[in-house]
Amino acid sequence: MAEPVVGPTTDDAVRGPEHELLLRAALWVGADAVDAWRMWSAITTVDTLDPDSQWLLPLLFHNLQAQGVPSHLLVRYRHVYRHNWYKNQLRLRRAEAVIDSIEREQGASLILGGAAMALRCHDAIGVRPFESVQVLVRSGVCPHPDPTTDGAFAIDVRRWVFGGEHDEAAMARATEESWRGRRWRVLDSVDQLLDICLRRHEWDRRSKLFWIADAVTLVRHQRAIDWTVVDERATQIGLREHVASALRSITPLCAGAVLPHEWSSAGRLAS
């Protein structure tokens, strides 16, 4: 059972019990998720949600549906989910031609950010809203930007993730995710987690809670994450403590996924 009294257990983006309970309801499973949702519903309403919380409604809908919550109780959340399901599909479809052009002229590219999370960690494309399709290309230049500017499409070219040879290595070990018959290249699970942790304060400007939800989802979804490799790569890029600080702050939400002691809030990094 989820505890009725919620303390300051995560990142400073989490402000009060409303955020903590929402994250639990959207990320946990079974009775713990449902109990957190009921407590959250008792202290807030959809109409009064802050913007940070509103963007997690598709994830909340998807998770509560999976826990067997009756559909008539999820109607408001489902509307938000369907809206983002449509927009995410539209953005990915419109991005395909630009990405094809980039790859013909410059070689392999990578999908980053929220679009990568939508592709890799969810069985329904509307669960993780994203504003643009972030693409990492070696030259950092988009050769033929799509002229469409109707607010439903954007390509955001990133020039680097970790920098220099580290980005080349990340490109080489990238994995693929399939959606609608197309293969999309994304960072492997360790590099994706590092990218989230290193950019947690700027991960998604629409909601400060996105980085927490994405990191916890990745840790719980990719149960085979090799924490020795996390340690090695974080050390190689010289930002081990930054990564450790981020991971320690999400430990209370990683129910069912045990982080090694030195990466959790129960321990501190060895010097």
Side-chain angles (χ1 to χ4, degrees):
M1 299 283 288
E3 295 293 335
V5 177
V6 180
T9 57
T10 56
D11 186 82
D12 57 8
V14 178
R15 297 176 180 174
E18 294 90 347
H19 284 176
E20 182 78 22
L21 288 168
L22 173 59
L23 286 163
R24 291 184 183 187
L27 295 167
W28 287 7
V29 297
D32 287 338
V34 176
D35 289 344
W37 169 62
R38 287 173 177 157
M39 287 187 285
W40 176 76
S41 299
I43 61 175
T44 190
T45 67
V46 173
D47 294 324
T48 60
L49 286 182
D50 63 287
D52 287 328
S53 298
Q54 290 172 13
W55 286 105
L56 292 193
L57 289 180
L59 178 60
L60 178 67
F61 164 72
H62 187 256
N63 194 47
L64 293 178
Q65 185 181 55
Q67 310 316 313
V69 174
S71 59
H72 70 275
L73 299 176
L74 306 177
V75 173
R76 295 286 299 276
Y77 312 152
R78 182 169 64 247
H79 290 333
V80 180
Y81 166 79
R82 291 289 295 179
H83 174 75
N84 285 284
W85 174 83
Y86 171 76
K87 293 187 73 173
N88 282 1
Q89 289 193 85
L90 186 62
R91 286 171 176 139
L92 287 172
R93 284 304 192 196
R94 293 187 175 184
E96 288 179 346
V98 179
I99 293 171
D100 286 343
S101 178
I102 290 172
E103 295 189 342
R104 280 194 302 269
E105 297 193 16
Q106 303 183 27
S109 64
L110 286 180
I111 304 300
L112 304 171
M117 289 299 301
L119 288 165
R120 77 178 305 147
C121 285
H122 301 290
D123 57 4
I125 200 65
V127 174
R128 191 353 179 137
F130 53 89
E131 188 173 28
S132 64
V133 178
Q134 294 184 28
V135 184
L136 174 70
V137 295
R138 286 186 167 88
S139 72
V141 176
C142 184
H144 301 295
D146 193 295
T148 302
T149 56
D150 61 5
F153 172 77
I155 286 283
D156 180 13
V157 174
R158 283 203 17 206
R159 299 176 181 276
W160 59 280
V161 179
F162 310 119
E165 63 184 13
H166 303 301
D167 283 356
E168 290 297 322
M171 280 272 200
R173 57 185 174 241
T175 60
E176 292 186 338
E177 297 294 332
S178 179
W179 180 73
R180 294 291 178 89
R182 182 189 176 97
R183 306 296 292 178
W184 303 76
R185 298 182 76 248
V186 299
L187 295 169
D188 76 4
S189 57
V190 171
D191 285 336
Q192 180 76 76
L193 183 61
L194 293 178
D195 191 27
I196 295 170
C197 290
L198 294 175
R199 287 175 173 76
R200 56 177 164 158
H201 298 303
E202 57 184 35
W203 180 244
D204 193 312
R205 66 182 178 84
R206 297 168 306 164
S207 174
K208 296 176 182 177
L209 301 178
F210 263 142
W211 89 264
I212 299 171
D214 287 348
V216 174
T217 297
L218 188 63
V219 168
R220 298 189 63 185
H221 181 79
Q222 304 286 343
R223 293 183 181 276
I225 285 181
D226 188 330
W227 293 100
T228 300
V229 176
V230 174
D231 193 342
E232 291 174 351
R233 293 186 193 172
T235 300
Q236 287 169 1
I237 61 179
L239 293 168
R240 187 170 181 263
E241 180 54 40
H242 286 75
V243 173
S245 174
L247 290 174
R248 284 195 294 267
S249 72
I250 66 169
T251 302
L253 289 167
C254 291
V258 180
L259 276 66
H261 184 73
E262 66 270 23
W263 294 103
S264 73
S265 57
R268 300 291 298 179
L269 278 176
S271 37

